[in-house]
Amino acid sequence: MLSLTDSVAVLAGVGPKRLTALDQLGIRTISDLLYYFPFRYEDLKVKDLSEAADQEKVTLKGTVVADPVISRWGPGKTRLNVRLLIEHDVVMVTFFNQPYLKDKFEAGVDVAIYGKWDAKRHTLTGMKVLAVQSAENPSFAAIYSVNKSVRQGTLVKMIQEAFDLYQDVIPELIPEDIRTRYKLMNERDLIAGMHFPKTYSEAKQARRSAIFHEFFLYQIQLQAIKQADRHVANGLALQYQNEALKDFIQTLPFDLTDAQKRVVNEICLDLKSPAHMNRLLQGDVGSGKTIVAAIALFAAVTAGYQAALMVPTEILAEQHYQSLQRLLAPMNVTVGLLTGSTTAKERRTLLADIESGRINIIIGTHALIQDAVVYHKLGFAVIDEQHRFGVNQRRILREKGLQPDILAMTATPIPRTLAITAYGEMDVSTIDELPKGRIPIETSWVRSNQVEQALSFVRKQLANDSQVFAITPLIAESEQMDLKNAEEIYATMVEQFEPDYHVALLHGQLKDDEKNQIMNAFSENKIQLLVSTTVVEVGVDVPNATVMLIFDADRFGLAQLHQLRGRVGRGKKKAYCILVADPKNQQGVDRMTIMTETTDGFVVAQKDLELRGPGEVFGDRQSGLPVFKVGDPVADFASLQVAQQEVQKIFTLDPELAAPDHTPLKTYLQQQKQNYLTLD
Ligand code: ADP
Ligand code: MG
């Protein structure tokens, strides 16, 4: 029988290679594919030349006048020129770096080309060759985020095939009465409307339903955890040793701030209480959350339990491991590190030590929740940058231990109502004070034509024995492009600063141990200037770095800019953040201005929420909010809230999800768990 949980391998032309490529996009099952929605649409309707505005993206149709000409304009760079007769006009169309398109343009053939119109030069920069309009080629196209192994066209064909085959077995997850009340499409129409709309308004309608669908399923998972809690009579009461804790705090090289002391007390009360701890710790970048987490982890160990710290990236795991190791080894606490790049041999010993309880505190990425990891007595877990983990991952971590107490940390403060809607009921602790003696970071904004001045400033700082981060722009649609940008900037920096200083490039496509090596070399000042994509964004602590130079800064969200800026100003020297940006709209200007005006993360976060237009900036990963595919928890807050309330109602009336209307949800929850566990 057909089921949406079938692997995409059932589709025509999907072999092992394509399976891997699809897997990279997060597509494994038919369901993944059908719910892999486009992120925008293009209107491909053919325009009359007279209607095309300068710099507008348009589709033009005409007849190829003569065979195309290909020329080179740099190493590996080509330009394909083809002249097109449109009515009585001849228009030059240019395609960059796509020489293989040549065969499509024989003289005399009719073609439709989508591209950017330059009215002054009377030319079109071609972006896409389209089939000439017909019934099978609608004029409205969905655009998907793809990688180099899966092309748009391939993806569209697969979605079409999957839809044709499976449209009659798409389960209806949202109960009918809810759909009726909120005028939502059924799943089949929603999927068709997202992928194959004929007009913008049809796409918009489908999107509204898709957003609710996404939020609803998220809330079902979130609240299912709470539901499971009701079967656990009591949480743990961790009787930690107060004296040992005091001794440990004594050994720290600094005094805790008042705010740190307050939140440590709040956390300790929770640990001791038999009620289940579910607490969110917020605090600005550099406010010292790590040490608070370390104290809490240590407390759990003195109570005779194991404790875990789960973080989103290997770089961060490695760094936390080193600092916790340093702090806690003198207290006779054994700390272990488990990540994706732990070797098989180390892993075997480590797993045995975790199971026997020889290791007290275990730090790692989501490797911590793999099947193979069996904890001895996990009583407490800290999740750093918790919004980077899915609700399912958080759930599995809890089920791994003895229903451990949970402390979630996030660098970006979010208002309480938003936190509760996005994460469920939790207590909040806030560190609202920075350690004494920090010199505020000076932030400036320059245009890209002033980059020379910025670089001469960088040179001065390097001469002063300081280190520098240069962050390269982010292009959401393709990792390849991100890398290309990063390589270009890296080349410029090498030219400017080598051999006087060492320059290195860090990006997401490096292997994890390569990334670690580079980060370590930077920490040890063997590298002075680190060119990086945003892989450095989270938590990295290199106190000798004093300059954060961010290219195309207007492409980043405020929360992320603030996080990046927080990578400097952690030592004794004064630090600087330089934003290089030519914003294209008022929002971009506002973001740059806010960054230069305040260094207070709470203010930045508030502004971020106010200014945030849906889908406006890339890289929202630091906003402190869970990442959704279609919905935006801020812009679509009302929908998120309704989803929360409706799910609450369902669990109140039917806690076991036994009603016929709710059984698809029950099945869905079971599948979610299985899907996850077969991974890794
Ligand atoms: P974040 O809250 O961004 O995770 P960290 O925990 O990384 O901040 O702390 C930032 C830096 O401040 C670290 O180098 C840490 O050792 C230092 N630090 C933490 N607490 C204090 C304190 N009370 N006094 C002085 N320095 C502190
Ligand atoms: Mg941190």
Side-chain angles (χ1 to χ4, degrees):
M1 231 200 49
L2 294 177
S3 152
L4 291 205
T5 54
D6 291 351
S7 159
V8 280
V10 303
L11 299 176
V14 180
K17 221 165 140 196
R18 185 155 288 165
L19 269 183
T20 317
L22 286 169
D23 191 90
Q24 281 164 8
L25 297 175
I27 301 172
R28 289 167 202 106
T29 63
I30 296 293
S31 168
D32 295 336
L33 183 64
L34 291 178
Y35 288 94
Y36 193 82
F37 293 139
F39 66 95
R40 65 185 166 88
Y41 300 91
E42 269 168 14
D43 192 350
L44 303 174
K45 218 178 283 119
V46 175
K47 278 224 170 180
D48 271 355
L49 255 195
S50 55
E51 289 171 25
D54 189 35
Q55 301 306 312
E56 191 191 0
K57 287 182 186 162
V58 293
T59 302
L60 299 178
K61 198 177 113 182
T63 312
V64 175
V65 177
D67 286 351
V69 179
I70 295 179
S71 52
R72 301 200 170 271
W73 56 286
K77 295 178 174 174
T78 63
R79 181 165 39 210
L80 181 155
N81 281 330
V82 57
R83 285 189 302 151
L84 216 58
L85 179 67
I86 303 176
E87 302 274 316
H88 304 290
D89 270 313
V90 173
V91 167
M92 177 67 87
V93 183
T94 306
F95 283 91
F96 288 100
N97 306 325
Q98 298 171 69
Y100 47 84
L101 291 178
K102 181 166 171 276
D103 299 340
K104 300 209 173 194
F105 302 119
E106 252 174 74
V109 167
D110 279 346
V111 289
I113 299 174
Y114 179 74
K116 199 184 213 174
W117 176 241
D118 186 324
K120 271 172 258 145
R121 294 212 187 91
H122 217 64
T123 58
L124 185 75
T125 305
M127 296 162 71
K128 210 184 277 182
V129 187
L130 306 169
V132 176
Q133 226 66 69
S134 67
E136 302 88 73
N137 295 302
S139 60
F140 194 72
I143 307 296
Y144 298 84
S145 165
V146 288
N147 60 22
K148 61 174 187 290
S149 336
V150 187
R151 295 192 180 215
Q152 291 282 340
T154 320
L155 192 68
V156 171
K157 263 196 215 115
M158 283 191 298
I159 292 171
Q160 185 70 59
E161 189 194 342
F163 185 74
D164 291 346
L165 274 170
Y166 287 87
Q167 55 174 316
D168 297 328
V169 299
I170 300 172
E172 220 50 78
L173 291 169
I174 301 177
E176 192 176 346
D177 69 302
I178 298 181
R179 266 187 287 130
T180 316
R181 250 181 302 133
Y182 298 104
K183 301 193 169 53
L184 299 165
M185 293 178 178
N186 64 31
E187 302 284 331
R188 188 193 164 280
D189 293 350
L190 174 172
I191 290 172
M194 285 298 282
H195 293 296
F196 326 115
K198 303 243 161 15
T199 60
Y200 271 116
S201 74
E202 195 184 334
K204 222 168 115 189
Q205 282 302 319
R207 204 181 144 76
R208 181 176 164 274
S209 296
I211 289 171
F212 186 84
H213 166 98
E214 187 176 29
F215 286 158
F216 184 84
L217 293 185
Y218 177 80
Q219 287 291 343
I220 275 284
Q221 295 188 63
L222 197 64
Q223 296 187 36
I225 298 178
K226 215 169 115 196
Q227 205 58 28
D229 266 0
R230 302 192 335 168
H231 299 293
V232 183
N234 266 322
L236 303 170
L238 277 68
Q239 302 296 343
Y240 59 86
Q241 295 168 19
N242 216 355
E243 286 310 309
L245 222 55
K246 280 188 185 150
D247 288 345
F248 173 51
I249 293 173
Q250 279 297 318
T251 67
L252 299 177
F254 44 72
D255 292 332
L256 294 182
T257 62
D258 289 342
Q260 283 171 319
K261 284 183 200 156
R262 192 185 62 239
V263 302
V264 165
N265 281 329
E266 289 167 358
I267 294 165
C268 282
L269 270 180
D270 275 3
L271 286 174
K272 209 183 255 172
S273 129
H276 194 104
M277 164 175 180
N278 192 16
R279 185 172 284 277
L280 180 70
L281 173 61
Q282 349 189 87
D284 202 351
V285 206
S287 62
K289 292 181 294 292
T290 312
I291 196 66
V292 170
I295 295 169
L297 290 164
F298 178 62
V301 173
T302 68
Y305 287 88
Q306 235 171 5
L309 169 60
M310 184 162 82
V311 300
T313 66
E314 295 222 357
I315 291 182
L316 203 51
E318 171 86 18
Q319 182 182 292
H320 278 326
Y321 171 68
Q322 278 167 12
S323 60
L324 288 198
Q325 171 93 315
R326 200 172 50 234
L327 289 168
L328 290 168
M331 312 304 295
N332 288 320
V333 173
T334 319
V335 185
L337 172 69
L338 180 65
T339 68
S341 54
T342 307
T343 64
K345 186 158 160 266
E346 287 168 341
R347 195 179 136 87
R348 223 171 301 129
T349 332
L350 200 60
L351 290 180
D353 287 347
I354 294 171
E355 190 162 0
S356 73
R358 207 189 72 77
I359 286 184
N360 307 117
I361 295 180
I362 171 85
I363 297 170
T365 55
H366 63 277
L368 293 189
I369 54 177
Q370 286 165 335
D371 276 352
V373 188
V374 180
Y375 292 91
H376 174 62
K377 214 181 155 190
L378 184 64
F380 176 57
V382 179
I383 305 178
D384 197 9
E385 305 277 335
Q386 74 136 358
H387 60 282
R388 300 275 294 271
F389 293 98
V391 52
N392 216 13
Q393 293 171 311
R394 297 201 295 268
R395 167 166 69 149
I396 294 166
L397 180 62
R398 295 195 27 185
E399 289 174 358
K400 278 266 178 195
L402 313 160
Q403 296 282 333
D405 278 349
I406 299 271
L407 177 69
M409 307 205 287
T410 158
T412 308
I414 46 177
R416 194 176 157 73
T417 31
L418 190 53
I420 287 171
T421 317
Y423 294 116
E425 196 58 53
M426 45 178 25
D427 300 308
V428 180
S429 287
T430 307
I431 308 183
D432 51 8
E433 169 187 14
L434 292 180
K436 287 184 195 65
R438 290 272 167 85
I439 313 170
I441 303 168
E442 196 176 309
T443 304
S444 51
W445 165 28
V446 301
R447 301 278 174 172
S448 58
N449 60 13
Q450 298 166 302
V451 86
E452 285 301 322
Q453 280 137 277
L455 291 184
S456 72
F457 181 77
V458 164
R459 181 171 284 282
K460 275 194 209 124
Q461 289 289 309
L462 287 168
N464 197 16
D465 290 333
S466 293
Q467 288 165 271
V468 175
F469 286 104
I471 303 297
T472 64
L474 179 89
I475 289 139
E477 290 177 38
S478 120
E479 244 176 73
Q480 283 311 109
M481 297 267 276
D482 285 354
L483 183 55
K484 198 169 145 277
N485 271 310
E487 278 167 348
E488 265 166 32
I489 288 174
Y490 172 66
T492 313
M493 296 296 165
V494 167
E495 195 185 311
Q496 287 268 343
F497 300 112
E498 294 260 10
D500 304 353
Y501 304 100
H502 284 294
V503 181
L505 173 63
L506 186 68
H507 59 81
Q509 290 177 32
L510 292 173
K511 292 212 188 70
D512 283 312
D513 54 341
E514 291 171 322
K515 281 187 218 159
N516 285 335
Q517 266 172 23
I518 295 176
M519 264 333 285
N520 285 338
F522 189 61
S523 294
E524 292 163 10
N525 201 359
K526 287 178 187 149
I527 292 166
Q528 285 74 46
L529 195 156
L530 184 66
V531 178
S532 176
T533 60
T534 49
V535 290
V536 298
E537 72 200 310
V538 278
V540 173
D541 194 26
V542 181
N544 191 45
T546 62
V547 182
M548 172 55 68
L549 176 64
I550 307 175
F551 288 93
D552 274 4
D554 57 316
R555 296 187 71 94
F556 296 99
L558 269 177
Q560 193 163 22
L561 288 172
H562 183 67
Q563 278 294 315
L564 287 168
R565 174 167 65 181
R567 296 311 114 216
V568 298
R570 303 183 145 239
K572 298 195 176 61
K573 298 191 230 175
K574 180 170 166 69
Y576 304 85
C577 174
I578 306 171
L579 310 168
V580 182
D582 306 307
K584 284 163 200 68
N585 56 31
Q586 188 56 39
Q587 289 210 4
V589 173
D590 290 348
R591 285 201 295 274
M592 296 306 105
T593 314
I594 290 161
M595 285 297 293
T596 57
E597 283 172 354
T598 182
T599 51
D600 182 335
F602 288 81
V603 176
V604 171
Q606 192 52 46
K607 294 283 180 194
D608 188 26
L609 295 180
E610 286 166 20
L611 284 180
R612 207 168 129 118
E616 223 263 322
V617 292
F618 304 122
D620 270 344
R621 290 159 54 190
Q622 290 308 325
S623 66
L625 292 163
V627 179
F628 293 96
K629 287 193 207 143
V630 220
D632 177 312
V634 177
D636 308 311
F637 182 69
S639 177
L640 181 62
Q641 217 167 15
V642 169
Q644 181 187 37
Q645 288 156 2
E646 291 299 336
V647 171
Q648 270 163 359
K649 254 190 258 167
I650 290 178
F651 276 120
T652 311
L653 298 173
D654 181 19
E656 301 301 326
L657 301 179
D661 231 21
H662 299 154
T663 40
L665 287 172
K666 194 173 184 143
T667 315
Y668 169 80
L669 282 173
Q670 281 156 358
Q671 281 166 356
Q672 284 303 301
K673 207 152 138 185
Q674 282 160 8
N675 277 354
Y676 189 80
L677 293 179
T678 52
L679 276 184
D680 281 296

